[in-house]
Amino acid sequence: MKTSRSAFFAACLALAALPDTGVSASSDKANELYLESCVSCHAFNLEGGLGGNLADGLWKHGSTDGDIARVISHGLPDLGMPAFGKTLSAEQIRSLVVFLREKEKSTKTKSSPPPQPKEGGVVRSIEHAYKVEPVIDADLTTPWSLAFLPDGSRLVTERPGALRIIDADGTLLPEPVNGTPQVIELVQGGMLDVAISPDYATDGWIYLAFADPLPRDEKRAMLKIVRGRIRDHAWTDEEVIFQAEPDFYTSAGVHFGTRMVFDGGYLYFIVGERGGNMQAQDTSRPNGKIYRVYPDGRIPEDNPFAADKKAIPGIWSYGHRNPQGLTIDPRDHAIYSTEHGPRGGDEFNLIRKGANYGWPVICHGMNYDGSPLNAGLTAKEGMEQPLLHWTPSIAACGLTCYTGYKFPNWKYDFFAGGLRGELHRIRVQNGKVVADEILLSGLGRIRDVRTGPDGFLYIVLNQPDRIVRLVPAE
Ligand code: HEC
């Protein structure tokens, strides 16, 4: 037990009532570190006494994560900031950086909150004024994904297991489609993504990705993908597109992924790491990977691991944690994904053939309890860096490259949702993120974001469960 003066000071103060803007006396490890080593000079609300303000977003000594880590490690001897490089490990310092970023964000959110649109109210964002319009307001249970059929009707998945139809008039049909696959709603699992074949007009295929229970052991599940057709309100002609070996089914209820997109005659899809951590690095295991297959499930011969006898040949990229956003930029056919990090370290990635996205060897976040992750490594040779990381996390879910015509200045921008309720507009230019604007928050947990064929931007929400769309207000 350390009995330094500052730790004692911190422990006494920790018992006092704490302001809600500051640190708390919880069992959060990063919080504990702060109380032990930093609070004496930077204060509970991080506004600083002897030391400077650490939550106002003004970084006098450099604003990148690297700058902040360097100050903590080397100190600022002339100013009285001690060096912690000998007493704290690199991973502890990394977790403090994540912690400070969380506080910085909550100060920023308080002083200039992102737009919280009211029904019918106009929001003026950087490029466009928009309004939020209800699409489906009631009778949905944890909607997860939305897809558009050529006749103007739409399909919605509900996580407990149903596939619902919104007809061309906009009415949500009360009866789900009959005979869809049995799914298990295991924590984060259930009926997840739905996608329409690009040749739907001639082939009629609809793709479903869901948590599949093992027949002989219902408590173990894995992501499975099938395609089928809807005839007379019933699911028919089912074919399996992706299914893992029974050994890979697990009782973990987390990190199924998933999303499906089509491009250039291929189907791309995500299988989350299912809580398997290092298994994401192992190409002989199905979890923590993005796949490329033909629409009928066959494996393209030029897939990056097709010739590797030990690898699963459908794998396109690996080292993923739990991506739940996947989209294509139609201009150059580049694939983009958003991925849930742990606490901090949510990622926006450009997905390259055969590349390793680093989980869990590198990551910009920390464990949920504030303890550091691995070696606190955020970069390593041979592992991809995200184009953007969100620390603190937005709980990234749902991603679309906007291809509509109703918001011309948004064309080809990316819209990323998050379960924390924020919708981000991201602009990529020459391979770099040049804008990340929070377009809205406060409508609920954003589960899915889609460009509608009508050019409106559709958002699937949970808590409350509904679908809305952004329409121009100019
Ligand atoms: C003994 C007092 C003291 C302690 C303990 C202390 N700091 Fe500091 N810290 C300072 C001073 C003084 C500065 C310089 C303030 C200035 O530039 O005005 C500073 C600056 C910083 C900065 C740079 C801020 C900026 O604007 O760029 C960071 C980051 C920081 N401290 C983090 C920490 C963390 C994290 C801890 C705990 C591990 C910690 N400090 C513990 C005194 C302290």
Side-chain angles (χ1 to χ4, degrees):
M1 173 85 189
K2 252 169 95 186
T3 51
S4 70
R5 205 174 65 93
S6 68
F8 174 73
F9 182 55
C12 294
L13 281 177
L15 299 171
L18 304 175
D20 66 359
T21 48
V23 293
S24 68
S26 75
S27 61
D28 184 312
K29 296 282 190 304
N31 198 11
E32 278 170 16
L33 256 186
Y34 182 85
L35 289 176
E36 215 170 272
S37 308
C38 324
V39 78
S40 51
C41 296
H42 290 285
F44 276 110
N45 55 12
L46 285 78
E47 280 172 10
L50 214 67
N53 189 322
L54 298 180
D56 58 1
L58 303 172
W59 300 101
K60 281 190 259 176
H61 304 279
S63 64
T64 68
D65 286 7
D67 295 332
I68 296 168
R70 200 171 323 108
V71 170
I72 300 172
S73 177
H74 301 316
L76 299 162
D78 295 344
L79 298 173
M81 160 81 192
F84 289 91
K86 289 216 169 69
T87 48
L88 299 179
S89 66
E91 33 183 346
Q92 285 175 311
I93 290 174
R94 176 66 207 162
S95 66
L96 279 169
V97 174
V98 175
F99 176 80
L100 295 183
R101 290 293 191 208
E102 289 173 352
K103 300 300 170 194
E104 176 186 10
K105 169 127 183 185
S106 80
T107 317
K108 217 199 249 159
T109 308
K110 280 202 183 85
S111 63
S112 54
Q116 303 212 352
K118 301 265 176 303
E119 213 88 24
V122 174
V123 175
R124 291 184 198 287
S125 74
I126 295 172
E127 298 284 358
H128 282 291
Y130 70 81
K131 281 198 277 202
V132 176
E133 212 174 74
V135 177
I136 299 293
D137 252 345
D139 199 26
L140 283 171
T141 308
T142 323
W144 213 91
S145 171
L146 175 68
F148 300 85
L149 290 166
D151 67 356
S153 62
R154 296 155 218 170
L155 298 176
V156 187
T157 53
E158 292 180 309
R159 198 175 63 189
L163 178 62
R164 305 283 302 269
I165 297 177
I166 303 169
D167 71 14
D169 302 331
T171 307
L172 177 67
L173 303 185
E175 285 298 315
V177 175
N178 293 317
T180 50
Q182 193 210 336
V183 312
I184 177 168
E185 199 189 20
L186 187 70
V187 195
Q188 299 170 2
M191 181 66 86
L192 303 177
D193 207 31
V194 55
I196 310 295
S197 162
D199 300 320
Y200 179 83
T202 52
D203 67 23
W205 288 120
I206 293 160
Y207 290 71
L208 291 175
F210 56 92
D212 175 47
L214 205 59
R216 60 182 159 75
D217 181 358
E218 288 251 317
K219 288 199 185 66
R220 287 164 61 198
M222 185 56 180
L223 188 88
K224 180 176 172 180
I225 294 177
V226 301
R227 68 177 179 183
R229 299 185 175 97
I230 297 174
R231 206 171 293 132
D232 301 328
H233 212 70
W235 182 252
T236 61
D237 307 336
E238 182 173 296
E239 293 179 0
V240 175
I241 301 300
F242 170 84
Q243 183 167 27
E245 297 296 329
D247 280 357
F248 297 123
Y249 281 56
T250 150
S251 58
V254 297
H255 308 172
F256 286 86
T258 182
R259 294 289 172 192
M260 300 177 280
V261 293
F262 292 91
D263 191 60
Y266 303 106
L267 165 66
Y268 295 87
F269 61 88
I270 301 162
V271 181
E273 128 288 36
R274 306 287 289 104
N277 285 307
M278 272 317 270
Q279 295 173 4
Q281 290 293 318
D282 180 350
T283 53
S284 71
R285 290 186 162 266
N287 42 337
K289 313 294 175 340
I290 293 180
Y291 289 74
R292 182 181 77 156
V293 301
Y294 289 118
D296 61 2
R298 283 177 306 118
I299 309 294
E301 273 176 21
D302 59 343
N303 264 12
F305 301 101
D308 180 343
K309 292 274 175 304
K310 285 195 281 242
I312 294 175
I315 294 173
W316 183 251
S317 64
Y318 66 109
H320 296 287
R321 186 175 180 273
N322 189 28
Q324 293 194 318
L326 192 64
T327 193
I328 305 281
D329 183 337
R331 292 171 299 178
D332 58 0
H333 302 274
I335 307 161
Y336 292 85
S337 172
T338 50
E339 175 165 334
H340 289 278
R343 181 167 155 192
D346 281 15
E347 298 182 352
F348 174 59
N349 282 310
L350 171 63
I351 302 301
R352 296 176 216 271
K353 179 180 181 176
N356 180 357
Y357 288 80
W359 175 256
V361 179
I362 58 170
C363 177
H364 292 268
M366 62 181 170
N367 290 315
Y368 288 110
D369 67 357
S371 64
L373 205 95
N374 300 326
L377 274 187
T378 54
K380 194 171 178 181
E381 205 170 314
M383 295 184 180
E384 299 292 314
Q385 277 297 305
L387 293 180
L388 174 71
H389 74 91
W390 288 287
T391 304
S393 297
I394 64 166
C397 198
L399 178 69
T400 187
C401 177
Y402 180 72
T403 50
Y405 51 91
K406 291 269 170 36
F407 294 104
N409 297 348
W410 284 351
K411 191 133 185 174
Y412 304 122
D413 283 350
F414 296 88
F415 291 81
L419 298 174
R420 294 259 165 97
E422 290 176 357
L423 177 69
H424 287 243
R425 180 184 65 85
I426 305 160
R427 180 163 293 174
V428 176
Q429 255 165 22
N430 304 322
K432 291 215 159 57
V433 171
V434 294
D436 175 16
E437 176 191 12
I438 305 177
L439 267 191
L440 62 80
S441 75
L443 295 179
R445 289 157 73 81
I446 297 181
R447 191 58 82 171
D448 199 9
V449 188
R450 303 271 169 173
T451 308
D454 50 15
F456 299 129
L457 198 61
Y458 284 76
I459 304 174
V460 177
L461 295 160
N462 295 166
Q463 295 174 14
D465 292 331
R466 54 198 204 116
I467 300 172
V468 298
R469 62 185 184 188
L470 304 193
V471 302
E474 272 101 347

